[in-house]
Amino acid sequence: MPLTRRLLIASAPLLATPVLAQGRPLRCAVGPFQPTAGDTRRAYEPFFTHLAKAVGRPLDLTVTTDWAGIAVALANEQVDAAWMGPWGYILAKDRAKAEALAVVQYQGKPTYQAIIIARPELAIARFPEDAKGMSISFADAGSTSGWLIPHYWFKTQGIDPRSYFRYRDGASHPANDLAVATGQVDLATDYDRNLAAMIAAGRLRADQVKIVWRSEPLPNDALAVRDRLDPGLKSALRDAALGLDAAGATQVMPTNYTGWVPARPDSYALIEAAGRALGRIGGG
């Protein structure tokens, strides 16, 4: 029996509820994973279409230009479900009691690493000592790998990156990669999945950048839902995501994503601790 058919049967009681019978759209959001909003929509819309079909609703998908905006949209109940970076999810959890339903898998793994890349000709044998005074571009403040985790690591080293480097932030990850590759900046933050995807897509060559720093393993992106979402709808969305095996994922998820695993209460504890340490969320 096809996967979608199985999911529709599994959610049959939910489809009979008054909320779903009204045909209200499933309002979803995704952040700037790709170089342009159009690229992101093309890559991620099939997955959200899968979710919407599984719960018997039309899809209303928003592609945001920054990560923090999704947290605000969840807080304002403008979005029901979102594919969020880990830090964006923690912001939404802290500010709006958002809940992570699942953690995405990339090439079979639920973790990834933040990285800092540099122009390949730069002599950086020791990082960050040999890079002091160089120009660096961080991603926007809602990014896990592009802002939160590098800032947290520098804090553990007793370094303020705003004074240690010629600092700027607010860029997307693809823009950071291209800025280094074209010599606009010396260093930039990114994450290993994005760099690999940019190289695979031919947007830059592997010899145009080099990695000078890696974080410890971090939890992958979350499928998150807003507070007070109908419990039946929440359960159906979780089942629709977790029901995707590797074969099904190739049909509806971006390249190299292989499905989802259940989110646990401590799945994003490391990200939350970093946010508190930097005073970005309560209790820091």
Side-chain angles (χ1 to χ4, degrees):
M1 181 184 296
L3 177 62
T4 303
R5 172 75 173 156
R6 292 202 305 270
L7 290 170
L8 286 172
I9 291 173
S11 59
L14 180 64
L15 297 179
T17 64
V19 171
L20 294 182
Q22 294 173 4
R24 290 191 347 201
L26 179 69
R27 301 168 303 169
C28 298
V30 62
F33 285 106
Q34 302 286 329
T36 70
D39 292 335
T40 298
R41 182 174 295 276
R42 283 187 290 273
Y44 289 82
E45 190 168 40
F47 170 71
F48 288 106
T49 298
H50 165 75
L51 291 187
K53 286 182 177 179
V55 300
R57 288 194 180 195
L59 173 65
D60 178 3
L61 177 62
T62 298
V63 179
T64 67
T65 57
D66 62 64
W67 299 102
I70 300 181
V72 174
L74 284 167
N76 294 336
E77 298 191 354
Q78 297 170 323
V79 166
D80 300 314
W83 185 320
M84 307 186 72
W87 175 225
Y89 161 64
I90 289 298
L91 286 173
K93 177 188 175 187
D94 182 68
R95 299 172 184 177
K97 299 181 181 178
E99 178 183 350
L101 303 182
V103 181
V104 77
Q105 294 196 89
Y106 186 88
Q107 295 181 343
K109 294 171 56 180
T111 60
Y112 74 112
Q113 289 178 293
I115 59 176
I116 294 176
I117 58 174
R119 293 193 289 115
E121 69 273 17
L122 295 176
I124 304 177
R126 298 177 305 155
F127 185 83
E129 293 87 349
D130 294 340
K132 186 174 183 179
M134 291 183 180
S135 60
I136 189 168
S137 177
F138 280 69
D140 78 69
S143 170
T144 310
S145 57
W147 197 95
L148 177 77
I149 294 300
H151 272 271
Y152 178 58
W153 183 80
F154 281 121
K155 182 180 177 67
T156 67
Q157 306 303 303
I159 292 171
D160 178 359
R162 295 179 184 273
S163 57
Y164 196 84
F165 302 101
R166 286 179 284 131
Y167 177 100
R168 73 186 197 195
D169 64 15
S172 69
H173 287 278
N176 266 353
D177 287 347
L178 294 174
V180 172
T182 57
Q184 297 175 53
V185 294
D186 299 320
L187 306 156
T189 61
D190 195 17
Y191 58 105
D192 54 0
R193 296 195 321 258
N194 183 66
L195 180 60
M198 292 284 285
I199 293 170
R203 298 185 183 276
L204 79 163
R205 302 188 313 273
D207 63 0
Q208 289 181 288
V209 302
K210 64 180 179 181
I211 297 173
V212 295
W213 175 82
R214 289 181 180 270
S215 73
E216 62 182 288
L218 307 171
N220 277 341
D221 308 326
L223 176 62
V225 294
R226 63 175 174 84
D227 187 33
R228 299 192 297 181
L229 187 67
D230 176 80
L233 178 56
K234 184 189 305 183
S235 179
L237 290 172
R238 181 187 292 109
D239 291 345
L242 297 179
L244 281 171
D245 58 14
T250 63
Q251 302 300 312
V252 301
M253 296 181 73
T255 303
N256 289 317
Y257 286 96
T258 51
W260 301 80
V261 296
R264 305 185 312 269
D266 63 346
S267 291
Y268 294 94
L270 171 61
I271 310 303
E272 190 165 1
R276 294 189 189 283
L278 293 174
R280 303 291 290 188
I281 58 175

